[in-house]
Amino acid sequence: MHLAKLVTPLTRQTLSGDVYKQLSDLLMSGRVMPGEQLSLRTLAQGLGVSVMPVREAVHRLLSEKALVLLPNRILRVPTMTVSQFREITKIRIHLESLAVSQAAALVEEPGLVEIRSAHERFALEMSAKKPDESNLIALNKELHFAIYRQAQMPMLLEMIESLWLRIGPILNYDFRSGSARVTEHVSVAHHERIINALARRDASGASQALAGDLQGAADFIVSAGVLLADDPAMNPEAPVRGAAKPQPSKRSGPKRLDVIA
């Protein structure tokens, strides 16, 4: 059999996987916002690839509920209600606490070095006179997953990643808001407690510090009114009182999506 017939499918799968990873990172790092509309063509142009691997990656993200396709064929970053956000937060606390507990039992010095390095870069950015929001978000994600990888539980890591896909665009409002949580370096303090507990192999202490970090951010986001109301009698797209309705990004390109199917 001709070699090209063997390698072409693998090349295509690899390209689609690379596109999926980049789009996933956009979502987990909060670089796209809830309600933002996306275009296959615009994404393909930005990534320098054809539409096909983008379509394949988007299909996967749709199945994971990280993106939604509206009846009018518009592709959009999902919005979330207060109850959905609280439910995901509870699940995250359980899963991520498990990862941190396991990490405390297994982490070795190279792992601690990686974690401390990520924390130092995050703390340095946070202490800047005008922190770069996008950098803060990326460094926070890098630090958390540096910790979770030490648990050596790949299936658990996949579960955590799937939740970050769905919650990332909303969760990162915490860093974009310029709130007291940012100016008072609240996350830095939580991270320091987690890292100190890991160094002591204190699974309980690490879990408690992690739960405090996640719950504190979640409580702030709920109080900020950026989530949708739960009342089904209301317009499902109407935000909680005081919140601005999510707007599509001006850079998102054409509003109408090329047909996915």
Side-chain angles (χ1 to χ4, degrees), residues 114-167:
E114 179 187 0
I115 292 166
R116 287 182 176 127
S117 175
H119 172 64
E120 287 171 3
R121 283 179 275 123
F122 176 83
L124 182 63
E125 185 64 55
M126 185 74 84
S127 65
K129 186 175 182 180
K130 190 176 180 180
D132 183 308
E133 297 166 352
S134 297
N135 202 28
L136 274 180
I137 291 166
L139 290 170
N140 180 68
K141 173 180 171 287
E142 180 182 340
L143 171 59
H144 276 265
F145 280 90
I147 294 170
Y148 303 152
R149 283 195 298 272
Q150 304 307 314
Q152 300 177 32
M153 299 178 73
M155 287 187 287
L156 176 60
L157 190 63
E158 288 181 2
M159 294 177 189
I160 294 171
E161 288 175 341
S162 71
L163 291 175
W164 275 62
L165 274 176
R166 298 184 65 178
I167 208 170

Side-chain angles (χ1 to χ4, degrees), residues 14 17 19 39 59 64 71 82 86 135-136 150 154 166 171 185 188-189 196 209 214 229 232 253 258-259:
T14 301
V19 171
S39 159
H59 266 301
E64 294 171 334
V82 173
R86 285 176 169 155
N135 202 28
L136 274 180
Q150 304 307 314
R166 298 184 65 178
L171 182 66
H185 303 177
V188 172
N196 290 338
L214 302 190
D258 303 313
V259 176

Side-chain angles (χ1 to χ4, degrees), residues 34-53:
E36 182 170 343
Q37 296 173 9
L38 305 175
S39 159
L40 289 184
R41 291 188 184 279
T42 302
L43 291 171
Q45 290 170 1
L47 292 167
V49 299
S50 68
V51 171
M52 183 58 71

Side-chain angles (χ1 to χ4, degrees), residues 184-248:
E184 296 175 8
H185 303 177
V186 173
S187 294
V188 172
H190 282 303
H191 293 167
E192 287 176 348
R193 284 193 286 272
I194 296 170
I195 294 168
N196 290 338
L198 290 173
R200 299 193 305 270
R201 297 195 178 277
D202 178 2
S204 176
S207 295
Q208 289 176 12
L210 184 280
D213 185 25
L214 302 190
Q215 191 64 60
D219 289 345
F220 167 73
I221 290 169
V222 170
S223 69
V226 295
L227 301 167
L228 301 182
D230 291 311
D231 186 353
M234 297 178 65
N235 182 336
E237 289 299 319
V240 175
R241 182 175 300 175
K245 188 172 182 178
Q247 297 294 324

Side-chain angles (χ1 to χ4, degrees), residues 1-17 56:
M1 185 177 293
H2 197 280
L3 181 60
K5 294 182 179 180
L6 296 175
V7 299
T8 299
L10 178 60
T11 302
R12 177 173 168 179
Q13 291 171 11
T14 301
L15 183 58
S16 176
E56 292 171 350

Side-chain angles (χ1 to χ4, degrees), residues 22-108:
Q22 290 200 53
L23 295 183
S24 296
D25 187 63
L26 286 175
L27 291 162
M28 285 194 283
S29 298
R31 283 179 280 172
V32 289
M33 302 300 290
E36 182 170 343
Q37 296 173 9
L38 305 175
S39 159
L40 289 184
R41 291 188 184 279
T42 302
L43 291 171
Q45 290 170 1
L47 292 167
V49 299
S50 68
V51 171
M52 183 58 71
V54 177
R55 182 180 285 116
E56 292 171 350
V58 164
H59 266 301
R60 184 173 172 185
L61 291 168
L62 286 169
S63 70
E64 294 171 334
K65 301 185 186 303
L67 294 173
V68 294
L69 186 63
L70 303 184
N72 57 2
R73 310 304 297 172
I74 290 176
L75 184 68
R76 195 185 67 179
V77 180
T79 51
M80 189 173 292
T81 66
V82 173
S83 61
Q84 289 171 332
F85 181 77
R86 285 176 169 155
E87 180 180 353
I88 288 181
T89 298
K90 287 181 181 179
I91 297 170
R92 286 186 63 219
I93 288 174
H94 282 291
L95 292 182
E96 294 176 40
S97 292
L98 173 59
V100 167
S101 296
Q102 188 73 2
L106 297 176
V107 67
E108 301 292 343

